[in-house]
Amino acid sequence: MFAVIYISNFHLQAALRLEPELHSRPVVLLAENISHVSHFTPRASRISQLTPAARASGISPGMTPVQAMARCREIIIRSRSPAQEQAAT
């Protein structure tokens, strides 16, 4: 017998699990790790998951971080963390 538990936006939830105060704030998760916002290029990573507050600000998956920052000055950008994802499983 097997059971499956589906966790919506698992990667984002894993990244924010140690920062519960961010769940209500506009936060986006990038599909790839990046080291610093100033190093974005036209081929920069894209947003893969986001909080409801970020979505309400007009941000959507597939946007670049620069596009997200243009829509919401308070946006918090996080990268995926394989270590946190493994710990959350």
Side-chain angles (χ1 to χ4, degrees), residues 3 6-7 14 23 28-31 33-34 37 40-41 43-44 46 51 54 56 60 62 68 72 77 80 85:
Y6 174 75
I7 300 174
H23 287 273
V28 298
L29 186 73
L30 301 179
N33 281 336
I34 59 166
V37 173
F40 290 138
T41 64
R43 301 187 67 183
R46 302 287 176 152
T51 61
S60 60
C72 179
I77 300 171
R80 282 187 61 181
E85 292 168 16

Side-chain angles (χ1 to χ4, degrees), residues 12 16 25-30 47-51 54-55 59-60 64-65 68 75-79:
L12 178 63
L16 298 181
R25 308 237 350 247
V27 181
V28 298
L29 186 73
L30 301 179
I47 293 169
S48 63
Q49 298 178 354
L50 58 154
T51 61
R55 192 174 299 276
I59 300 167
S60 60
T64 65
I75 194 74
I76 299 168
I77 300 171
R78 293 285 193 258
S79 295

